[in-house]
Amino acid sequence: MRKLALNDEILLKIEKPARYIGNEVNSVMKDKSKIDIRFAMCFPDVYEIGMSHLGIQILYDMFNRREDVWCERVYSPWTDLDQIMREEQIPLFALESQDPIREFDFLGITIQYEMCYTNILQVIDLSGIPLNACDRGDSDPIVIGGGPCTYNPEPLAEFFDLFYIGDGETVYDQLLDAYKENKKNGGSRKDYLQKAAGIEGIYVPQFYETEYKEDGTIASFKPTDPHARLTIQKQMVSDLTDTYYPMAPVVPFIKVTQDRVVLEIQRGCIRGCRFCQAGMLYRPTREREVETLKRYAYTMLKNTGHEEISLSSLSSSDYSQLKELVTFLIKEFKDEGINISLPSLRIDAFSLDVMGKVQDIRKSSLTFAPEAGSQRMRDVINKGLTEEIILDGAGQAFEGGWNKVKLYFMLGLPTETKEDMEAIPRLADKIARRYYEIPKDRRNGKCQITTSTSFFIPKPFTPFQWAKMYDKEEYVARAAMVKHEFQEQLNRKSLKYHWHEADVTVLEGVFARGDRRLSRVIREAYRLGCLYDSWTENFDNERWMHAFENTGVDIGFYNLRKRERDERFPWDFIDIGVTKDFLYQEWERALKGEVTPNCRVRCSGCGVMKYKGGVCVESKN
Amino acid sequence: MKARIKFRKYGVMRFIGHLDVMRFFQKSMRRAGIPIAFTGGYSPHMIMSFAQPLGVGVTSDGEYLDIELKEEIDPPEAVRRLNEVMVEGIEVVNFCRIPDDKKYSGMTIVAAASYKAILLESARSADVPRAFPVSWRGKLDEFLRQESIVVLKKTKRSETQADIKPMIYQMKLEEDGIYLFLAAGSEQNLKPDLVIRAFLEFIGEDPDSVPFHYHRIDVYARNMSEPKNSHKFIPLDSVSC
Ligand code: SF4
């Protein structure tokens, strides 16, 4: 029997011991004496969040198909166990073997959001690995990062040996083979990092040096090692059908956020919303074949026993075979007691029809994400959703029996005016009015329109990467103005308004477009006790502000400054295919309120064509 | 058509709570392709009910759940299929058809449970037992000879004084553990740790510093052929299998 890393006394004292014992259905056990490479795959958040992530399940499956690799999982210990591990000096361990991470060859960390950065340090620290990559020796695991935040890895540069830029399905085999080879030849850590630097898509931060101008912007960013490349090319799987997909994902014992089979139907998005980073990073849009997905649905449901299946993509309605797939899922699985969940569907006759079949209309709500209240603002962000479409969709839904609507908007978008903000409550009110146009005897009580706003954060590799942000006070003032306008609306009793915290927005903004100098802020915040910053109950803004003060880093430099066309950005050494010129052109069009058609309507020559895949090579008529 | 499944819970699975074991079995039914019946309505769920929840940390050789079948399935085949999809720490030991009539159905017939309480060297490991001090045997007799055994029973809402003596059907000290036979079920229910704590307090020990591991041996129904107060019980899987 497996021996657990934590003793009974600890396991019976902490919250949810199931987070730490492994043993789940479909988790992979191997004989470690027959393995060449031990890989610990980490999502730096609590188990329930980490286990819900599709990317990790894909890589876990892909690595474990190799006989010479054993990939295991590790998540952030929750705060209760974190404290015990520090007091009793228990090293962080992997779930499957329960062995210390320190004994592994790799620690791979997926970096999905900025507010997990202190958790990354926690994982490295509790593992007993030096925080700074340059302090690590031959016996320390290679710490490698992947995921959306690595498209600007600079704030984390100090803590990682390698970053993998792009889809994980492509060059990992090369990376692992090179490691084996280096180990066999008795090569050092540095030898390996140099070899890795030669593999496409791999970035070795310690092999580069940044020089800054007097105004704090970057003067130059140069390799200091002959093996390091000048630019790092994003890796991309061009054929999503003919690649890895986990047929038997791990099934957790405890309820996790994504407790279901997930079918990734496509990667990328054709739309080109100007605020959306994923929309640019994952270009071009690539679809998975519908027949393959059908087979996956059967096999994965059978292998997991899950009672729910859900589709995953940035914009499911753009999947060309959506009707075929959804009809199939309903026909095959509805009567088996399998729930079918359909996120991110555009509201139209088809989606209302299928939603009526798979959910209880009285309980469920419709979701719209206009992102901006006025048409002018929606043109600026290139969101092709008009008021007419929204009111039409809502109207059809109300006639069909729905009475709850959720609306999502952003505040603080470039060029936003008072009128744009006031348009948010007014749009919500118009939707309510549309509801009350239905004769009383045909409607289902009152309607409930819930509006949420978040604050816009400019992200690297978007047309808005040049935009400036605001300070906390300004964000709070904007939300207050919207709130005030809500109270002026005719149907205010049917309208609810929530807004996101402004503190977190400011920090996310700094780290999204930050440079190497931020590593010391993250380290200081961690030293001061910041952890689980994405959890409202743990987030401590004061400590973060201390961390900035103590390190002398100015938030204003990152957030409040207007960036010039020729500024060199910290992430400019990464090539995602979309050119900086295209992004700048889109930024200029945005400021003029000009919309750009989506990839299926007309190619705008963003640069991604060079990958020769997906929508760029679809036959266009 | 109804069936009763008996399973063991051991090893690391003792850290999985009752609700999560229920979820585990729901998913297992699908993986094993057991033809289980569903309720109707918008979100149909499996017709499945568990006997006596088991506390986190406790192991067991006698856990039960009843399910409703929509088609016949051969019991040995069902056991085989289920065990193919189990994890280490859960083993299905029996699958038997039970009559459809009310008096056997659900878990309302649970009346008693037997346990073994093992004294440990340390709370850190349930695998390292410690021998009982010699004096305990005599003290246990004294403990049981009391007129009444009053303890503080804590629930989420209140604390009440209760005499647990009538609920202790048997309590014996053997070399490898204290064997307990206790009232269980919806009418009256006594947890083994409550009895052991009362005993430790009786002999002047601090219950919080004397670690025990608890193991459930089986769960029982009243033997219908015996008079009501006779304290004659039969294991749940002997009721009708
Ligand atoms: S090259 Fe054209 S079709 Fe391809 S992603 Fe860019 S804009 Fe879309």
mmCIF file of all heavy atoms in Angstrom, chain B residues 149-186:
data_model
loop_
_atom_site.group_PDB
_atom_site.id
_atom_site.type_symbol
_atom_site.label_atom_id
_atom_site.label_comp_id
_atom_site.label_asym_id
_atom_site.label_seq_id
_atom_site.Cartn_x
_atom_site.Cartn_y
_atom_site.Cartn_z
ATOM 1 N N ILE B 149 -24.626 5.361 32.219
ATOM 2 C CA ILE B 149 -23.407 6.001 31.705
ATOM 3 C C ILE B 149 -23.843 7.285 31.017
ATOM 4 O O ILE B 149 -24.328 7.270 29.882
ATOM 5 C CB ILE B 149 -22.654 5.072 30.725
ATOM 6 C CG1 ILE B 149 -22.308 3.758 31.421
ATOM 7 C CG2 ILE B 149 -21.407 5.764 30.188
ATOM 8 C CD1 ILE B 149 -21.720 2.698 30.512
ATOM 9 N N VAL B 150 -23.725 8.376 31.759
ATOM 10 C CA VAL B 150 -24.246 9.630 31.220
ATOM 11 C C VAL B 150 -23.126 10.403 30.517
ATOM 12 O O VAL B 150 -22.055 10.600 31.071
ATOM 13 C CB VAL B 150 -24.871 10.475 32.347
ATOM 14 C CG1 VAL B 150 -25.366 11.820 31.796
ATOM 15 C CG2 VAL B 150 -26.029 9.716 32.986
ATOM 16 N N VAL B 151 -23.374 10.760 29.292
ATOM 17 C CA VAL B 151 -22.384 11.551 28.548
ATOM 18 C C VAL B 151 -23.058 12.792 27.965
ATOM 19 O O VAL B 151 -24.279 12.860 27.874
ATOM 20 C CB VAL B 151 -21.739 10.755 27.385
ATOM 21 C CG1 VAL B 151 -21.029 9.525 27.893
ATOM 22 C CG2 VAL B 151 -22.774 10.405 26.325
ATOM 23 N N LEU B 152 -22.210 13.723 27.558
ATOM 24 C CA LEU B 152 -22.694 14.911 26.899
ATOM 25 C C LEU B 152 -22.718 14.629 25.400
ATOM 26 O O LEU B 152 -21.683 14.376 24.794
ATOM 27 C CB LEU B 152 -21.707 16.062 27.195
ATOM 28 C CG LEU B 152 -22.280 17.455 27.258
ATOM 29 C CD1 LEU B 152 -23.462 17.534 28.223
ATOM 30 C CD2 LEU B 152 -21.188 18.429 27.697
ATOM 31 N N LYS B 153 -23.914 14.614 24.818
ATOM 32 C CA LYS B 153 -24.003 14.362 23.382
ATOM 33 C C LYS B 153 -24.098 15.693 22.673
ATOM 34 O O LYS B 153 -25.003 16.470 22.905
ATOM 35 C CB LYS B 153 -25.255 13.536 23.071
ATOM 36 C CG LYS B 153 -24.988 12.044 22.933
ATOM 37 C CD LYS B 153 -26.208 11.350 22.362
ATOM 38 C CE LYS B 153 -25.809 10.260 21.383
ATOM 39 N NZ LYS B 153 -26.943 9.520 20.857
ATOM 40 N N LYS B 154 -23.131 15.946 21.805
ATOM 41 C CA LYS B 154 -23.128 17.239 21.107
ATOM 42 C C LYS B 154 -23.696 17.066 19.708
ATOM 43 O O LYS B 154 -23.281 16.196 18.963
ATOM 44 C CB LYS B 154 -21.704 17.772 20.993
ATOM 45 C CG LYS B 154 -21.253 18.488 22.247
ATOM 46 C CD LYS B 154 -19.879 19.079 22.040
ATOM 47 C CE LYS B 154 -19.148 19.083 23.363
ATOM 48 N NZ LYS B 154 -17.712 19.124 23.235
ATOM 49 N N THR B 155 -24.651 17.897 19.376
ATOM 50 C CA THR B 155 -25.073 17.967 17.987
ATOM 51 C C THR B 155 -24.760 19.383 17.519
ATOM 52 O O THR B 155 -24.299 20.205 18.315
ATOM 53 C CB THR B 155 -26.581 17.686 17.824
ATOM 54 O OG1 THR B 155 -27.291 18.699 18.527
ATOM 55 C CG2 THR B 155 -26.954 16.317 18.350
ATOM 56 N N LYS B 156 -25.080 19.660 16.262
ATOM 57 C CA LYS B 156 -24.778 21.000 15.750
ATOM 58 C C LYS B 156 -25.509 22.070 16.545
ATOM 59 O O LYS B 156 -24.994 23.145 16.784
ATOM 60 C CB LYS B 156 -25.160 21.087 14.266
ATOM 61 C CG LYS B 156 -24.035 20.588 13.395
ATOM 62 C CD LYS B 156 -24.225 20.959 11.939
ATOM 63 C CE LYS B 156 -23.194 20.227 11.082
ATOM 64 N NZ LYS B 156 -23.794 19.171 10.269
ATOM 65 N N ARG B 157 -26.728 21.737 16.978
ATOM 66 C CA ARG B 157 -27.537 22.759 17.617
ATOM 67 C C ARG B 157 -27.427 22.777 19.136
ATOM 68 O O ARG B 157 -27.499 23.807 19.757
ATOM 69 C CB ARG B 157 -29.011 22.593 17.211
ATOM 70 C CG ARG B 157 -29.307 23.410 15.972
ATOM 71 C CD ARG B 157 -30.779 23.470 15.663
ATOM 72 N NE ARG B 157 -30.939 23.277 14.224
ATOM 73 C CZ ARG B 157 -31.689 22.343 13.686
ATOM 74 N NH1 ARG B 157 -32.367 21.512 14.456
ATOM 75 N NH2 ARG B 157 -31.770 22.230 12.388
ATOM 76 N N SER B 158 -27.303 21.592 19.733
ATOM 77 C CA SER B 158 -27.400 21.596 21.192
ATOM 78 C C SER B 158 -26.483 20.559 21.828
ATOM 79 O O SER B 158 -25.887 19.727 21.159
ATOM 80 C CB SER B 158 -28.844 21.302 21.591
ATOM 81 O OG SER B 158 -29.169 19.991 21.156
ATOM 82 N N GLU B 159 -26.403 20.663 23.118
ATOM 83 C CA GLU B 159 -25.677 19.660 23.896
ATOM 84 C C GLU B 159 -26.681 19.072 24.871
ATOM 85 O O GLU B 159 -27.366 19.802 25.579
ATOM 86 C CB GLU B 159 -24.559 20.340 24.698
ATOM 87 C CG GLU B 159 -23.354 20.656 23.877
ATOM 88 C CD GLU B 159 -22.227 21.215 24.741
ATOM 89 O OE1 GLU B 159 -22.359 21.226 25.982
ATOM 90 O OE2 GLU B 159 -21.221 21.629 24.159
ATOM 91 N N THR B 160 -26.779 17.745 24.879
ATOM 92 C CA THR B 160 -27.725 17.159 25.825
ATOM 93 C C THR B 160 -27.048 16.044 26.597
ATOM 94 O O THR B 160 -26.143 15.376 26.108
ATOM 95 C CB THR B 160 -28.955 16.557 25.103
ATOM 96 O OG1 THR B 160 -28.473 15.786 23.994
ATOM 97 C CG2 THR B 160 -29.900 17.621 24.614
ATOM 98 N N GLN B 161 -27.519 15.854 27.811
ATOM 99 C CA GLN B 161 -27.058 14.738 28.626
ATOM 100 C C GLN B 161 -27.824 13.505 28.169
ATOM 101 O O GLN B 161 -29.010 13.572 27.927
ATOM 102 C CB GLN B 161 -27.414 14.986 30.093
ATOM 103 C CG GLN B 161 -26.826 16.263 30.670
ATOM 104 C CD GLN B 161 -25.516 15.989 31.379
ATOM 105 O OE1 GLN B 161 -25.192 14.846 31.673
ATOM 106 N NE2 GLN B 161 -24.747 17.033 31.651
ATOM 107 N N ALA B 162 -27.110 12.406 28.005
ATOM 108 C CA ALA B 162 -27.837 11.199 27.618
ATOM 109 C C ALA B 162 -27.211 9.985 28.305
ATOM 110 O O ALA B 162 -25.992 9.931 28.500
ATOM 111 C CB ALA B 162 -27.786 11.030 26.108
ATOM 112 N N ASP B 163 -28.054 9.067 28.636
ATOM 113 C CA ASP B 163 -27.562 7.801 29.191
ATOM 114 C C ASP B 163 -27.340 6.849 28.030
ATOM 115 O O ASP B 163 -28.286 6.440 27.363
ATOM 116 C CB ASP B 163 -28.591 7.238 30.166
ATOM 117 C CG ASP B 163 -28.107 5.913 30.745
ATOM 118 O OD1 ASP B 163 -26.917 5.564 30.545
ATOM 119 O OD2 ASP B 163 -28.928 5.229 31.395
ATOM 120 N N ILE B 164 -26.070 6.524 27.788
ATOM 121 C CA ILE B 164 -25.788 5.681 26.627
ATOM 122 C C ILE B 164 -25.776 4.194 26.983
ATOM 123 O O ILE B 164 -25.650 3.345 26.101
ATOM 124 C CB ILE B 164 -24.438 6.063 25.954
ATOM 125 C CG1 ILE B 164 -23.280 5.961 26.941
ATOM 126 C CG2 ILE B 164 -24.509 7.444 25.329
ATOM 127 C CD1 ILE B 164 -21.903 6.076 26.282
ATOM 128 N N LYS B 165 -25.914 3.893 28.255
ATOM 129 C CA LYS B 165 -25.775 2.490 28.634
ATOM 130 C C LYS B 165 -26.747 1.563 27.890
ATOM 131 O O LYS B 165 -26.335 0.512 27.393
ATOM 132 C CB LYS B 165 -25.911 2.325 30.144
ATOM 133 C CG LYS B 165 -25.444 0.935 30.543
ATOM 134 C CD LYS B 165 -25.407 0.658 32.005
ATOM 135 C CE LYS B 165 -25.024 -0.815 32.157
ATOM 136 N NZ LYS B 165 -25.411 -1.328 33.465
ATOM 137 N N PRO B 166 -28.017 1.963 27.767
ATOM 138 C CA PRO B 166 -28.939 1.053 27.052
ATOM 139 C C PRO B 166 -28.566 0.840 25.582
ATOM 140 O O PRO B 166 -29.034 -0.099 24.954
ATOM 141 C CB PRO B 166 -30.286 1.774 27.143
ATOM 142 C CG PRO B 166 -30.133 2.825 28.177
ATOM 143 C CD PRO B 166 -28.688 3.150 28.297
ATOM 144 N N MET B 167 -27.733 1.702 25.060
ATOM 145 C CA MET B 167 -27.369 1.564 23.644
ATOM 146 C C MET B 167 -26.098 0.737 23.451
ATOM 147 O O MET B 167 -25.698 0.465 22.333
ATOM 148 C CB MET B 167 -27.192 2.948 23.013
ATOM 149 C CG MET B 167 -28.500 3.708 22.881
ATOM 150 S SD MET B 167 -28.269 5.269 22.005
ATOM 151 C CE MET B 167 -28.028 6.394 23.348
ATOM 152 N N ILE B 168 -25.461 0.399 24.552
ATOM 153 C CA ILE B 168 -24.281 -0.472 24.454
ATOM 154 C C ILE B 168 -24.764 -1.912 24.636
ATOM 155 O O ILE B 168 -25.086 -2.330 25.735
ATOM 156 C CB ILE B 168 -23.228 -0.138 25.538
ATOM 157 C CG1 ILE B 168 -22.861 1.354 25.496
ATOM 158 C CG2 ILE B 168 -21.990 -1.008 25.380
ATOM 159 C CD1 ILE B 168 -21.906 1.791 26.592
ATOM 160 N N TYR B 169 -24.827 -2.640 23.545
ATOM 161 C CA TYR B 169 -25.324 -4.016 23.638
ATOM 162 C C TYR B 169 -24.216 -4.950 24.101
ATOM 163 O O TYR B 169 -24.476 -5.974 24.708
ATOM 164 C CB TYR B 169 -25.876 -4.473 22.286
ATOM 165 C CG TYR B 169 -27.039 -3.621 21.805
ATOM 166 C CD1 TYR B 169 -27.266 -3.412 20.451
ATOM 167 C CD2 TYR B 169 -27.927 -3.033 22.723
ATOM 168 C CE1 TYR B 169 -28.323 -2.636 20.002
ATOM 169 C CE2 TYR B 169 -28.983 -2.249 22.279
ATOM 170 C CZ TYR B 169 -29.170 -2.054 20.928
ATOM 171 O OH TYR B 169 -30.212 -1.280 20.493
ATOM 172 N N GLN B 170 -23.000 -4.601 23.767
ATOM 173 C CA GLN B 170 -21.888 -5.437 24.167
ATOM 174 C C GLN B 170 -20.605 -4.630 24.085
ATOM 175 O O GLN B 170 -20.462 -3.778 23.210
ATOM 176 C CB GLN B 170 -21.768 -6.615 23.194
ATOM 177 C CG GLN B 170 -21.339 -7.895 23.866
ATOM 178 C CD GLN B 170 -21.293 -9.019 22.849
ATOM 179 O OE1 GLN B 170 -20.509 -8.964 21.905
ATOM 180 N NE2 GLN B 170 -22.133 -10.023 23.034
ATOM 181 N N MET B 171 -19.672 -4.891 25.003
ATOM 182 C CA MET B 171 -18.380 -4.210 24.973
ATOM 183 C C MET B 171 -17.382 -5.142 25.628
ATOM 184 O O MET B 171 -17.510 -5.470 26.800
ATOM 185 C CB MET B 171 -18.489 -2.885 25.732
ATOM 186 C CG MET B 171 -17.232 -2.038 25.685
ATOM 187 S SD MET B 171 -17.572 -0.398 26.393
ATOM 188 C CE MET B 171 -15.978 0.389 26.217
ATOM 189 N N LYS B 172 -16.408 -5.590 24.857
ATOM 190 C CA LYS B 172 -15.467 -6.607 25.341
ATOM 191 C C LYS B 172 -14.048 -6.170 25.032
ATOM 192 O O LYS B 172 -13.774 -5.670 23.944
ATOM 193 C CB LYS B 172 -15.686 -7.917 24.584
ATOM 194 C CG LYS B 172 -16.751 -8.805 25.118
ATOM 195 C CD LYS B 172 -16.608 -10.223 24.551
ATOM 196 C CE LYS B 172 -16.387 -10.268 23.046
ATOM 197 N NZ LYS B 172 -17.209 -11.188 22.301
ATOM 198 N N LEU B 173 -13.159 -6.413 25.950
ATOM 199 C CA LEU B 173 -11.769 -6.088 25.682
ATOM 200 C C LEU B 173 -11.045 -7.358 25.264
ATOM 201 O O LEU B 173 -11.007 -8.330 26.008
ATOM 202 C CB LEU B 173 -11.145 -5.459 26.929
ATOM 203 C CG LEU B 173 -9.817 -4.739 26.716
ATOM 204 C CD1 LEU B 173 -9.719 -3.560 27.665
ATOM 205 C CD2 LEU B 173 -8.640 -5.657 26.919
ATOM 206 N N GLU B 174 -10.528 -7.376 24.058
ATOM 207 C CA GLU B 174 -9.721 -8.511 23.589
ATOM 208 C C GLU B 174 -8.300 -8.002 23.415
ATOM 209 O O GLU B 174 -8.036 -6.811 23.521
ATOM 210 C CB GLU B 174 -10.239 -9.020 22.245
ATOM 211 C CG GLU B 174 -11.707 -9.378 22.204
ATOM 212 C CD GLU B 174 -11.976 -10.811 22.628
ATOM 213 O OE1 GLU B 174 -10.984 -11.555 22.824
ATOM 214 O OE2 GLU B 174 -13.145 -11.168 22.777
ATOM 215 N N GLU B 175 -7.433 -8.932 23.076
ATOM 216 C CA GLU B 175 -6.044 -8.542 22.913
ATOM 217 C C GLU B 175 -5.845 -7.450 21.842
ATOM 218 O O GLU B 175 -5.094 -6.513 22.022
ATOM 219 C CB GLU B 175 -5.238 -9.772 22.501
ATOM 220 C CG GLU B 175 -3.788 -9.635 22.857
ATOM 221 C CD GLU B 175 -3.253 -10.942 23.386
ATOM 222 O OE1 GLU B 175 -3.691 -11.393 24.456
ATOM 223 O OE2 GLU B 175 -2.416 -11.516 22.681
ATOM 224 N N ASP B 176 -6.545 -7.603 20.711
ATOM 225 C CA ASP B 176 -6.307 -6.692 19.594
ATOM 226 C C ASP B 176 -7.244 -5.484 19.562
ATOM 227 O O ASP B 176 -7.182 -4.669 18.642
ATOM 228 C CB ASP B 176 -6.408 -7.448 18.261
ATOM 229 C CG ASP B 176 -7.783 -8.064 18.067
ATOM 230 O OD1 ASP B 176 -8.525 -8.219 19.072
ATOM 231 O OD2 ASP B 176 -8.136 -8.394 16.926
ATOM 232 N N GLY B 177 -8.116 -5.362 20.526
ATOM 233 C CA GLY B 177 -8.976 -4.189 20.505
ATOM 234 C C GLY B 177 -10.190 -4.345 21.404
ATOM 235 O O GLY B 177 -10.466 -5.434 21.899
ATOM 236 N N ILE B 178 -10.876 -3.233 21.572
ATOM 237 C CA ILE B 178 -12.129 -3.289 22.323
ATOM 238 C C ILE B 178 -13.246 -3.497 21.303
ATOM 239 O O ILE B 178 -13.388 -2.703 20.358
ATOM 240 C CB ILE B 178 -12.361 -1.984 23.111
ATOM 241 C CG1 ILE B 178 -11.249 -1.814 24.161
ATOM 242 C CG2 ILE B 178 -13.733 -1.987 23.767
ATOM 243 C CD1 ILE B 178 -11.327 -0.504 24.935
ATOM 244 N N TYR B 179 -14.010 -4.567 21.469
ATOM 245 C CA TYR B 179 -15.100 -4.872 20.543
ATOM 246 C C TYR B 179 -16.392 -4.283 21.084
ATOM 247 O O TYR B 179 -16.731 -4.480 22.240
ATOM 248 C CB TYR B 179 -15.210 -6.382 20.349
ATOM 249 C CG TYR B 179 -14.114 -6.909 19.443
ATOM 250 C CD1 TYR B 179 -12.829 -7.151 19.937
ATOM 251 C CD2 TYR B 179 -14.364 -7.149 18.094
ATOM 252 C CE1 TYR B 179 -11.818 -7.606 19.110
ATOM 253 C CE2 TYR B 179 -13.359 -7.605 17.254
ATOM 254 C CZ TYR B 179 -12.084 -7.835 17.759
ATOM 255 O OH TYR B 179 -11.107 -8.274 16.924
ATOM 256 N N LEU B 180 -17.070 -3.583 20.207
ATOM 257 C CA LEU B 180 -18.288 -2.897 20.630
ATOM 258 C C LEU B 180 -19.450 -3.318 19.749
ATOM 259 O O LEU B 180 -19.303 -3.445 18.529
ATOM 260 C CB LEU B 180 -18.112 -1.386 20.484
ATOM 261 C CG LEU B 180 -17.035 -0.738 21.339
ATOM 262 C CD1 LEU B 180 -16.361 0.365 20.554
ATOM 263 C CD2 LEU B 180 -17.625 -0.200 22.626
ATOM 264 N N PHE B 181 -20.590 -3.497 20.377
ATOM 265 C CA PHE B 181 -21.818 -3.762 19.633
ATOM 266 C C PHE B 181 -22.805 -2.698 20.077
ATOM 267 O O PHE B 181 -23.225 -2.680 21.230
ATOM 268 C CB PHE B 181 -22.323 -5.172 19.967
ATOM 269 C CG PHE B 181 -23.169 -5.750 18.881
ATOM 270 C CD1 PHE B 181 -22.624 -6.623 17.945
ATOM 271 C CD2 PHE B 181 -24.523 -5.424 18.772
ATOM 272 C CE1 PHE B 181 -23.403 -7.146 16.918
ATOM 273 C CE2 PHE B 181 -25.299 -5.938 17.740
ATOM 274 C CZ PHE B 181 -24.733 -6.809 16.816
ATOM 275 N N LEU B 182 -23.134 -1.770 19.177
ATOM 276 C CA LEU B 182 -23.852 -0.566 19.598
ATOM 277 C C LEU B 182 -25.123 -0.337 18.795
ATOM 278 O O LEU B 182 -25.231 -0.766 17.646
ATOM 279 C CB LEU B 182 -22.953 0.665 19.418
ATOM 280 C CG LEU B 182 -21.556 0.612 20.037
ATOM 281 C CD1 LEU B 182 -20.763 1.840 19.632
ATOM 282 C CD2 LEU B 182 -21.638 0.482 21.555
ATOM 283 N N ALA B 183 -26.055 0.360 19.415
ATOM 284 C CA ALA B 183 -27.271 0.734 18.702
ATOM 285 C C ALA B 183 -26.907 1.636 17.533
ATOM 286 O O ALA B 183 -26.024 2.485 17.638
ATOM 287 C CB ALA B 183 -28.215 1.479 19.639
ATOM 288 N N ALA B 184 -27.581 1.421 16.399
ATOM 289 C CA ALA B 184 -27.331 2.264 15.236
ATOM 290 C C ALA B 184 -28.644 2.452 14.495
ATOM 291 O O ALA B 184 -29.594 1.703 14.713
ATOM 292 C CB ALA B 184 -26.297 1.617 14.319
ATOM 293 N N GLY B 185 -28.693 3.436 13.653
ATOM 294 C CA GLY B 185 -29.882 3.655 12.840
ATOM 295 C C GLY B 185 -30.542 4.971 13.144
ATOM 296 O O GLY B 185 -29.986 5.821 13.846
ATOM 297 N N SER B 186 -31.735 5.138 12.600
ATOM 298 C CA SER B 186 -32.374 6.441 12.695
ATOM 299 C C SER B 186 -33.039 6.654 14.056
ATOM 300 O O SER B 186 -33.196 7.782 14.502
ATOM 301 C CB SER B 186 -33.388 6.598 11.568
ATOM 302 O OG SER B 186 -34.174 5.443 11.471
#
